[in-house]
Amino acid sequence: MTGSEIMAVVGFFVMVSGALWGIWWRIEGRVKEAKDSAVGTATAAQALANLARDELAAHRLHVAETYITKAGMRETTEQLMEAISGVKSAVDGMTLRIDRVVEGQPRRSTTRT
């Protein structure tokens, strides 16, 4: 091989390696962009989750302070028990009415032959 042929082969390999390096460089750039985008999205999601956690804790505290007390539970229980007894007395009255209606009717007799 002569010097010009060796230079042509070396030039060819340099050109191929340069092309491959350029392709790799572009791929690395795209991967870096995707990574940066994913990090940004993850950071935003984490901030939103922290905000939701803080709001939930504040709501739990508000509910505990406002609605859940022993006196409030007693009052609610008493109201429920009064409502249940009111329904029970209405049902008992209805049962008595139905019994009176049934008692007033003559009995039917069936005959079998």
Side-chain angles (χ1 to χ4, degrees):
M1 288 179 67
T2 64
S4 63
E5 289 175 344
I6 291 174
M7 288 302 288
V9 169
V10 169
F12 176 74
F13 282 122
V14 168
M15 181 182 69
V16 168
S17 64
L20 291 175
W21 181 80
I23 292 170
W24 181 255
W25 178 66
R26 293 200 63 186
I27 290 173
E28 278 293 318
R30 297 261 172 107
V31 168
K32 187 175 184 305
E33 288 174 8
K35 181 180 174 184
D36 292 342
S37 174
V39 167
T41 303
T43 303
Q46 186 176 15
L48 185 61
N50 288 338
L51 178 64
R53 185 186 66 220
D54 294 342
E55 288 178 352
L56 180 61
H59 179 69
R60 284 181 180 170
L61 180 63
H62 169 72
V63 168
E65 291 174 345
T66 306
Y67 299 111
I68 308 299
T69 61
K70 286 185 180 181
M73 289 299 290
R74 275 193 211 107
E75 181 181 336
T76 304
T77 304
E78 289 172 5
Q79 289 174 353
L80 287 172
M81 295 307 286
E82 288 175 12
I84 289 171
S85 66
V87 169
K88 183 179 177 187
S89 64
V91 168
D92 288 340
M94 184 63 72
T95 305
L96 292 175
R97 288 183 198 162
I98 292 173
D99 288 342
R100 287 185 197 138
V101 169
V102 171
E103 288 173 359
Q105 294 179 355
R107 289 188 156 194
R108 294 183 185 177
S109 60
T110 60
T111 57
R112 292 186 182 179
T113 57

